[in-house]
Amino acid sequence: MGPADIRELAAALGVRPTKQRGQNFVIDANTVRRIVRTAEVRPDDVVVEIGPGLGSLTLALLEAADRVTAVEIDDVLAGALPATIEARMPARAGRFSLVHSDAMRVQELPGPAPTALVANLPYNVAVPVLLHMLERFPTIERTLVMVQAEVADRLAAAPGSKVYGVPSVKANWYADVKRAGAIGRTVFWPAPNVDSGLVSLVRRAEPVKTTASRAEVFAVVDAAFAQRRKTLRAALAGWAGSAPAAEAALVAAGVSPQARGEALTVEEFARIAESKGASK
């Protein structure tokens, strides 16, 4: 759908994009096609889309995938989307499912297990929604999300980068992450005040090798970056019980107590989580 189609549909529904939900609808058909192409959506894919809005990306995904499940929180948009699919792509309507829910609360999806996630994520909830979906649906092999450029940089950052932090490490727990392109402001309605970026996440063929649980590893990550200017010995004191206990855990993990969280890989955070008990 082009700009005129989007605005006409929005007017018919009485819809105005809201800042509260971070709604910026894509109105450029070429951008939508580019997203599907960059996501490498295959004919056998079961794609889950978060925040389909008026359905522009949904239609493009239905053209390329076996089936699409869209998760939409907005009452009006969720109510209108099935009719939009039926009107514009009737031959594929049977391959479409709608889940009217907050993506952060979704625990299951109808139909076959999803193999791909493609979404234009609202800027204010992009990272928690992405991490929730990767955790809850381990069958998602490939993900492509459009997010605020700053968020894209953080997700794809490598250790040692100034923007490397909690999102970078947690995303890397699940997947190999990389920037997959830039998106200008003019393809959205309304045009946001920031640029956007595409981020590709391909699930790790082998999970991070550790005896620690995901929650245990993430607890270390959260503690390390809560006071990112401090050395790990100081930053992890609360997590370990004391600064000496943090130092013992770090030494046991083969990590310098004087290092900072921004220098560590996800594997090193996992070793620290493992060593908490072993260092006592």
Side-chain angles (χ1 to χ4, degrees):
M1 292 191 287
D5 298 312
I6 295 290
R7 288 194 169 92
E8 184 181 326
L9 182 55
L13 296 172
V15 167
R16 293 289 303 175
T18 70
K19 268 191 176 181
Q20 180 189 1
R21 288 193 171 149
Q23 290 172 330
N24 297 89
F25 300 133
V26 181
I27 57 172
D28 180 65
N30 287 330
T31 297
V32 167
R33 284 191 283 267
R34 176 186 164 197
I35 291 169
V36 174
R37 188 169 62 248
T38 305
E40 299 181 358
V41 176
R42 302 188 296 245
D44 61 343
D45 270 325
V46 177
V47 179
V48 58
E49 181 191 6
I50 307 298
L54 292 164
S56 186
L57 178 56
T58 316
L59 289 165
L61 288 168
L62 269 172
E63 274 186 337
D66 180 52
R67 56 181 63 238
V68 174
T69 299
V71 181
E72 177 58 67
I73 189 173
D74 187 284
D75 294 342
V76 174
L77 295 173
L81 190 55
T84 300
I85 302 299
E86 184 66 52
R88 293 178 179 271
M89 204 174 283
R92 302 291 291 163
R95 297 282 177 172
F96 172 74
S97 301
L98 176 77
V99 175
H100 182 193
S101 176
D102 179 348
M104 286 295 294
R105 298 178 182 274
V106 170
Q107 297 297 319
E108 58 183 12
L109 294 168
T115 59
L117 167 64
V118 183
N120 169 23
L121 290 176
Y123 294 161
N124 51 350
V125 295
V127 172
V129 165
L130 174 62
L131 295 176
H132 169 73
M133 294 300 291
L134 289 173
E135 177 201 350
R136 191 69 193 89
F137 301 100
T139 57
I140 294 175
E141 301 165 0
R142 286 163 291 113
T143 295
L144 187 80
V145 291
M146 180 159 57
V147 293
Q148 185 176 335
E150 184 182 335
V151 175
D153 289 340
R154 286 178 182 169
L155 284 168
S161 163
K162 286 183 180 179
V163 295
Y164 183 75
V166 172
S168 327
V169 184
K170 291 184 177 180
N172 200 234
W173 168 267
Y174 298 105
D176 295 318
V177 189
K178 67 177 184 179
R179 271 289 221 130
I183 303 287
R185 306 177 187 193
T186 58
V187 304
F188 296 99
W189 171 60
N193 296 323
V194 293
D195 293 324
S196 298
L198 297 176
V199 181
S200 164
L201 302 96
V202 178
R203 193 175 290 270
R204 286 169 169 263
E206 294 286 333
V208 177
K209 290 183 179 177
T210 178
T211 56
S213 69
R214 178 195 57 82
E216 288 169 336
V217 176
F218 282 14
V220 181
V221 174
D222 289 336
F225 286 102
Q227 305 173 79
R228 65 181 295 148
R229 292 190 178 184
K230 292 190 175 183
T231 65
L232 287 170
R233 183 184 190 275
L236 298 182
W239 164 81
S242 67
E247 179 167 351
L250 289 159
V251 170
V255 175
S256 168
Q258 300 309 308
R260 288 175 170 78
E262 62 201 46
L264 269 59
T265 64
V266 66
E267 287 83 4
E268 288 171 313
F269 279 112
R271 290 210 308 270
I272 296 168
E274 280 183 34
S275 68
K276 185 178 185 182
S279 64
K280 290 179 180 176

